[in-house]
Amino acid sequence: MTDPRVAVITPIYTEPLAWIEQAVASVRAQHHACTHFLVADGVDRDDIDFEGVVTLRAPTRSNDGGATPRAIGGRAAIAAGFDVIAYTDADDIAEPFFIDEVLRAFEAGFDCVGVPALRVTTANEPLFFSDGTPAVTWVPHRNHEGAGELCFIRACGMAITGASLALNEVWARMPRELGGTCDLFWSWAAYDSPAKICWTLRPSYRYRITNADVYPTYGLEPPPDATRRKSALHARHHHAWNSLDHTQKGKILSRIGITRGYRVAHEDCAGLIQTHAGGAALLALDVQRRFVAHP
């Protein structure tokens, strides 16, 4: 991929201006030049005025976990001829080599990539597990410590290129009432697609923990600017999904474009992460959607 044009799409809603400023600065500081698209989710943000940043706005509040703003921003970037679409969140920070890691995966032949994220406080201070190791979210799993049973691609800190650019449209088909589960649905759609998927194993993204109920996991009191809104939203939307019967779920999956909705085999995931964490290897899904290490 020779000098690709890279767009970074970031939904914004009511995040503090200081966090958005950090997010914008982190994109501006990327080693590889990229254009930043900020997409307001149906709200007026008179305080958002950054030089060199494309600002867009969804006409109404979608309340779908940022799915609609991602679709709007991605469509605009694709129409403008960008080769790579990366997604970040307004309360997170990309390390300067985030896009470098994405492009490294694309040079290896993949067209959909996720990156691991260092979990940080609202003040951007690294969090640590009880054994002193940094708290990193390895994106092929949903829980914080292990491989988990339900592997996914997180909506923030991921990127698409080539044939996988079509997956941007999946965001537009998300049910609003299930927006808190958008990562899961998007992942299923990606697994069902011909996408060549991998994850890098060098943390290049900082995931700001804004959920107050997560801090006790690390033996900390929640900071004053942490809330419980995100956890409550996710819990409500997961409950709504789990409350549906098989036929109702099938109709939603069909509307999104998911034909199987299967769980990816994860047996080797934890071992591969443990062996290759922090290195140059990529954690890939082969054609049978099994985890393998790609040198």
Side-chain angles (χ1 to χ4, degrees):
M1 186 179 293
T2 304
D3 196 23
R5 297 183 66 209
V6 179
V8 177
I9 313 301
T10 303
I12 58 174
Y13 183 45
T14 57
E15 296 84 2
L17 178 60
W19 293 1
I20 298 175
E21 287 174 338
Q22 280 188 308
V24 170
S26 75
V27 173
R28 187 173 287 141
Q30 292 300 301
H31 296 157
H32 185 98
C34 47
T35 300
H36 201 176
F37 289 71
L38 291 179
V39 188
D41 191 6
V43 294
D44 290 318
R45 290 293 302 254
D46 296 334
D47 56 344
I48 303 300
D49 184 18
F50 299 103
E51 183 178 355
V53 175
V54 180
T55 56
L56 304 171
R57 180 175 176 268
T60 58
R61 169 68 171 137
S62 60
N63 195 31
D64 59 3
T68 294
R70 291 185 191 101
I72 291 172
R75 285 172 175 172
I78 292 169
F82 284 85
D83 304 298
V84 172
I85 308 298
Y87 304 93
T88 65
D89 278 359
D91 51 7
D92 295 338
I93 304 102
E95 301 286 11
F97 56 95
F98 165 57
I99 295 299
D100 290 345
E101 284 290 277
V102 166
L103 296 181
R104 184 172 67 87
F106 291 160
E107 290 289 349
F110 298 93
D111 54 22
C112 177
V113 59
V115 305
L118 177 67
R119 296 163 70 85
V120 299
T121 68
T122 55
N124 193 22
E125 297 292 337
L127 288 164
F128 296 88
F129 293 125
S130 58
D131 63 0
T133 58
V136 174
T137 295
W138 302 102
V139 291
H141 59 76
R142 297 206 61 184
N143 64 9
H144 304 156
E145 287 79 27
E149 293 186 354
L150 194 55
C151 302
F152 80 133
I153 307 167
R154 206 180 49 232
C156 54
M158 55 84 71
I160 51 179
T161 193
S164 284
L165 289 175
L167 288 169
N168 182 75
E169 284 305 299
V170 174
W171 299 119
R173 298 194 290 267
M174 297 288 179
R176 176 177 176 177
E177 66 276 13
L178 299 175
T181 62
C182 63
D183 306 72
L184 175 58
F185 289 125
W186 197 92
S187 300
W188 279 347
Y191 298 150
D192 272 356
S193 79
K196 297 178 181 178
I197 302 169
C198 78
W199 293 265
T200 65
L201 292 171
R202 292 173 178 161
S204 59
Y205 190 87
R206 290 186 168 227
Y207 183 75
R208 195 189 306 264
I209 302 300
T210 60
N211 301 348
D213 53 336
V214 174
Y215 281 86
T217 303
Y218 304 102
L220 300 174
E221 290 293 325
D225 52 355
T227 73
R228 287 179 168 78
R229 289 195 302 268
K230 186 182 291 187
S231 293
L233 174 69
H234 289 180
R236 185 167 67 251
H237 287 181
H238 279 283
H239 177 72
W241 170 250
N242 291 330
S243 298
L244 299 176
D245 62 29
H246 182 75
T247 300
Q248 293 170 317
K249 288 182 177 179
K251 288 181 179 178
I252 290 173
L253 294 176
S254 177
R255 188 169 76 222
I256 296 173
I258 300 167
T259 57
R260 295 180 64 184
Y262 55 80
R263 297 187 175 206
V264 175
H266 68 278
E267 288 80 2
D268 297 327
C269 178
L272 289 169
I273 289 174
Q274 185 175 10
T275 301
H276 298 285
L282 302 171
L283 183 61
L285 290 178
D286 64 14
V287 293
Q288 284 81 35
R289 294 316 197 207
R290 296 173 304 192
F291 284 107
V292 296
H294 183 88

